[in-house]
Coordinates of all heavy atoms in Angstrom, one line a residue:
N14 N 164.7 46.5 39.1 CA 164.5 45.0 39.2 C 163.0 44.8 39.4 O 162.2 45.7 39.5 CB 165.3 44.3 40.2 CG 165.0 44.7 41.6 OD1 164.0 45.3 41.9 ND2 165.9 44.4 42.5
H87 N 152.0 64.3 45.3 CA 153.2 64.5 46.1 C 152.8 64.3 47.6 O 153.4 63.6 48.4 CB 153.8 65.8 45.9 CG 155.3 65.9 46.2 ND1 155.8 66.5 47.3 CD2 156.4 65.5 45.5 CE1 157.1 66.4 47.4 NE2 157.5 65.8 46.3
D129 N 173.1 67.7 46.3 CA 172.7 69.0 45.9 C 173.2 69.4 44.5 O 174.4 69.6 44.4 CB 173.1 70.0 46.9 CG 172.6 71.4 46.7 OD1 172.1 71.7 45.6 OD2 172.5 72.2 47.7
T137 N 176.1 78.3 36.8 CA 175.1 78.4 35.8 C 174.5 79.8 35.9 O 174.1 80.3 36.9 CB 174.0 77.4 36.0 OG1 174.6 76.1 35.9 CG2 172.9 77.5 34.9
T138 N 174.4 80.5 34.7 CA 173.7 81.8 34.7 C 172.5 81.7 33.7 O 171.7 82.6 33.8 CB 174.7 82.9 34.2 OG1 175.2 82.5 32.9 CG2 175.8 83.1 35.2
R178 N 172.3 76.4 55.6 CA 173.7 76.9 55.6 C 174.0 77.3 54.1 O 174.6 78.3 53.9 CB 174.6 75.8 56.1 CG 176.1 76.2 56.0 CD 177.0 75.1 56.6 NE 177.0 73.9 55.8 CZ 177.2 72.7 56.4 NH1 177.5 72.6 57.7 NH2 177.3 71.6 55.6
R188 N 172.1 83.8 39.9 CA 170.7 83.9 40.2 C 169.9 82.6 40.2 O 169.2 82.3 41.1 CB 170.1 84.9 39.1 CG 168.6 85.2 39.4 CD 168.0 86.2 38.4 NE 168.1 85.6 37.0 CZ 167.1 84.9 36.5 NH1 166.0 84.5 37.2 NH2 167.2 84.4 35.2
L189 N 170.1 81.8 39.2 CA 169.4 80.5 39.1 C 169.8 79.6 40.2 O 168.9 78.9 40.8 CB 169.6 79.8 37.7 CG 169.1 80.6 36.5 CD1 169.4 79.8 35.2 CD2 167.6 80.8 36.6
A199 N 163.6 78.1 52.2 CA 162.3 78.7 52.6 C 161.3 77.6 52.8 O 160.4 77.7 53.7 CB 161.8 79.7 51.5
R242 N 171.2 82.4 68.2 CA 171.9 83.3 67.4 C 171.9 82.9 66.0 O 171.9 83.7 65.1 CB 173.4 83.5 67.9 CG 173.5 84.3 69.2 CD 175.0 84.6 69.5 NE 175.6 85.3 68.4 CZ 176.9 85.4 68.2 NH1 177.7 84.6 68.9 NH2 177.4 86.1 67.2

Side-chain angles (χ1 to χ4, degrees):
N14 65 17
H87 206 259
D129 188 340
T137 300
T138 55
R178 178 174 68 206
R188 183 177 64 86
L189 294 178
R242 284 189 62 202

